C-alpha cells in the first residue's frame, strides 16, 4: 500500500528526521544526508522510540542506526525516513530489507531516491511486503538538504554555490588588490561554516597568489572541505598555505611544466590535467565533471572575480551567497567584473532571495531566475 499525505503529525516527526540528517554534514558524501525516527503509536499521541542518522560514508545508514538504537522490538511501529530506504547492497545491506525484517508497520518517506539503483524500488519492496508507505512528506525540505546529491546523480555535477564578500558598490578588493578585511568577524565566521557545509571549495590561482588562503574551517565547527585551485600554468607556490594540510586538488592545463608539476606533487597536491578552450581557459563544465567523479555533492566557489564570472557565464552557478559590507570602496575590483550585458532583461536576477544581518554586514542569498528548481 502506498499513500501520500502531509498531515501535521507526519510533518512533525519528519522535521525531527531532517534535524538528525543534518548531523552528517561534511562526512557522508558522496552519499546523501539521511535521518530516521522510529515512533510507537501504541502510546497516546505517539512516542519516539529511537533516532538515527548516516554518520559517515561507508558506515551504517540512518535506518540501521535507528533500529540499533531502539534496543528492542519495533514491530508494528512507524519509521520516518527523510529519503527512500535503499534496496541495493553497497558498503551496507539494503535498508528496506532491515525495516521489513524489523516488522515496522508503516514507513513515512520524505522523498524518493533519484539514484536509479534505488528510485522507487525501495518503496515497491516495502509495499510488496505489506508495509504501509506514505510518501512526499516535507518533500521540498528533504530535497533541499540533499540538493547536491540530487544534482550529481541526475545531472553529473555538484550543486555550485558562489560566495563573495563585497562593498556596497560591489567591489571585492581595492584597486591595489587589498581585501582584508571587507566584512567583520561574524560574517567571516559564517563564511567558514559555509565551507564546512560543502564537500569542496574552489578558488583561482590569482586568489592563492594574492591572499595565500588556507581554505580550511578554523573559525567555526565542522570538517574542512577538499581544497581546490584552478591553476592552468601551475603558478601555485610549493610553500602556499593551501597545500599545508593536504587534501588539495589543482586543475592544470593539458601540458604543465614538468618541474612545477613534480614540485607540487611532492607537496601532496593532486593535479588533474584539463583541456582548455579556444581562449586558453579551463571550462567550468570539465571541472564540475571531475568533482562529480570524486563524489563531490556540494561545491563552494570563493573567487576571484574571473573564476566566479566564468561559472556564471557557463550557467554553472546554482546559488549566490553575497556578504555585503556597509562600506564604499570606489574604483576597486568588481565581484562580477568579467560579466557584461547589453540589455537589462539579459542581466541575472535572483529569486527565492533571503536577507540576514550578520554583525554590521548583510548576507544576501538567492538562486538565479534561470535555474531549474530542485
Amino acid at each position: 500500500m502506498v499513500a501520500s499525505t502531509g498531515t501535521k503529525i507526519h510533518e512533525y516527526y519528519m522535521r525531527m528526521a531532517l534535524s538528525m540528517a543534518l548531523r552528517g554534514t561534511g562526512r557522508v558524501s558522496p552519499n546523501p544526508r539521511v535521518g530516521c525516527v522510529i515512533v510507537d503509536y501504541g502510546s497516546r499521541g505517539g512516542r519516539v522510540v529511537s533516532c538515527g542518522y548516516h554518520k559517515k560514508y561507508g558506515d551504517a545508514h540512518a535506518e540501521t542506526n535507528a533500529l540499533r538504537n531502539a534496543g528492542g522490538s519495533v514491530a508494528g511501529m512507524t519509521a520516518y525516513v527523510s529519503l527512500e530506504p535503499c534496496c541495493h547492497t553497497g558498503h551496507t545491506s539494503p535498508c528496506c530489507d532491515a525495516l521489513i525484517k524489523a516488522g515496522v508497520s508503516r514507513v513515512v518517506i520524505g522523498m524518493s531516491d533519484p539514484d536509479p539503483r534505488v528510485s522507487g524500488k525501495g518503496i515497491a519492496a516495502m509495499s510488496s511486503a505489506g508495509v504501509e508507505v506514505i510518501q512526499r512528506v516535507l518533500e521540498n525540505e528533504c530535497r533541499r538538504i540533499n540538493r547536491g546529491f540530487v544534482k550529481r546523480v541526475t545531472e553529473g555535477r555538484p550543486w555550485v554555490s558562489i560566495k563573495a564578500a563585497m562593498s556596497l558598490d560591489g567591489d571585492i578588493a581595492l584597486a591595489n588588490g587589498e581585501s582584508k578585511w571587507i566584512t567583520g568577524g561574524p560574517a567571516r565566521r559564517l563564511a567558514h561554516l559555509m565551507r564546512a557545509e560543502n564537500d569542496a571549495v574552489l578558488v583561482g590561482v590569482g586568489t592563492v597568489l594574492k591572499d595565500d588562503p588556507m581554505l580550511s574551517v578554523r573559525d567555526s565547527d565542522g570538517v574542512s572541505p577538499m581544497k581546490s585551485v584552478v591553476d592552468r600554468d601551475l603558478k601555485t607556490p610549493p610553500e602556499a598555505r593551501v597545500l599545508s594540510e593536504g587534501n588539495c586538488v589543482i586543475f592544470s592545463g593539458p601540458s604543465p611544466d614538468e618541474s612545477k608539476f613534480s614540485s607540487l606533487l611532492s607537496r601532496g597536491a593532486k593535479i588533474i590535467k584539463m583541456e582548455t578552450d579556444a581562449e586558453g581557459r579551463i571550462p567550468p563544465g570539465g571541472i564540475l565533471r571531475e568533482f562529480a567523479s570524486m563524489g563531490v555533492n556540494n561545491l563552494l566557489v570563493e573567487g576571484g572575480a574571473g573564476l566566479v564570472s566564468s561559472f556564471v557565464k557557463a550557467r554553472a552557478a546554482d546559488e549566490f551567497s553575497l556578504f555585503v559590507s556597509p562600506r564604499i570602496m570606489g574604483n576597486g575590483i568588481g565581484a562580477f567584473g568579467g560579466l557584461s550585458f547589453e540589455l537589462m532583461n539579459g542581466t541575472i536576477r535572483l529569486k527565492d532571495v533571503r536577507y540576514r544581518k550578520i554583525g554590521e554586514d548583510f548576507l544576501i542569498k538567492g538562486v538565479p531566475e534561470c535555474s531549474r528548481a530542485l
Side-chain angles (χ1 to χ4, degrees), residues 268-279:
K270 177 181 179 180
I271 302 175
I272 301 177
K273 298 179 182 180
M274 305 290 294
E275 294 299 323
T276 54
D277 60 20
E279 298 177 338

Side-chain angles (χ1 to χ4, degrees), residues 136-181:
R136 297 187 291 278
V137 175
L138 297 184
E139 182 177 25
N140 290 338
E141 289 89 336
C142 292
R143 290 180 69 85
R144 180 173 178 79
I145 71 164
N146 280 317
R147 58 192 182 181
F149 171 74
V150 173
K151 197 83 170 179
R152 183 179 60 79
V153 169
T154 60
E155 298 185 25
R157 72 168 182 84
W159 177 272
V160 177
S161 298
I162 303 291
K163 181 190 77 69
M166 63 183 67
S167 63
L168 282 175
D169 47 346
D171 289 335
I172 59 173
L174 297 175
N176 62 7
E178 183 182 350
S179 61
K180 295 182 179 180
W181 297 100

Side-chain angles (χ1 to χ4, degrees), residues 77-139:
M77 298 184 191
T78 298
Y80 290 84
V81 190
S82 56
L83 182 73
E84 176 183 2
C86 64
C87 58
H88 66 288
T89 300
H91 288 283
T92 62
S93 56
C95 293
C96 64
D97 289 354
L99 292 170
I100 293 169
K101 184 178 180 180
V104 299
S105 62
R106 178 169 55 186
V107 177
V108 182
I109 298 170
M111 63 172 283
S112 61
D113 192 329
D115 189 329
R117 296 174 298 174
V118 181
S119 188
K121 299 180 181 71
I123 293 170
M126 293 185 295
S127 182
S128 296
V131 178
E132 179 187 3
V133 180
I134 296 176
Q135 299 185 69
R136 297 187 291 278
V137 175
L138 297 184
E139 182 177 25

Side-chain angles (χ1 to χ4, degrees), residues 163-167 170-185 187-188 191 195 203 206-213 215 241 302-305 323-325 327-329 331-335 361:
K163 181 190 77 69
M166 63 183 67
S167 63
D171 289 335
I172 59 173
L174 297 175
N176 62 7
E178 183 182 350
S179 61
K180 295 182 179 180
W181 297 100
I182 295 176
T183 55
R188 295 199 298 274
R195 286 179 182 171
V203 298
T207 297
V208 172
L209 296 174
K210 179 171 66 71
D211 296 335
D212 193 21
L215 301 182
R241 297 202 302 165
E302 291 199 2
F323 290 92
V324 181
S325 169
R327 71 172 76 227
I328 295 172
M329 292 168 57
N331 185 27
I333 299 173
D361 305 306

Side-chain angles (χ1 to χ4, degrees), residues 1 33 41 43 65 72 86 138 156 210 228 239 253 255 268 312 314 361:
M1 174 180 174
R33 295 180 286 182
Y41 279 102
S43 302
N65 284 327
C86 64
L138 297 184
K210 179 171 66 71
S228 50
E239 64 276 10
S255 303
V312 176
D361 305 306

Side-chain angles (χ1 to χ4, degrees), residues 162 308 312 317-322 336 348 350 364-368:
I162 303 291
V308 167
V312 176
D318 299 305
E319 182 179 42
F320 290 86
S321 295
L322 307 176
F336 303 99
I348 298 168
L350 303 185
I364 302 174
K365 299 190 74 169
V367 299

Side-chain angles (χ1 to χ4, degrees), residues 190-211:
L190 181 56
H192 276 231
L193 179 60
M194 287 181 179
R195 286 179 182 171
E197 293 173 342
N198 286 268
D199 304 313
V201 58
L202 179 69
V203 298
V205 67
T207 297
V208 172
L209 296 174
K210 179 171 66 71
D211 296 335

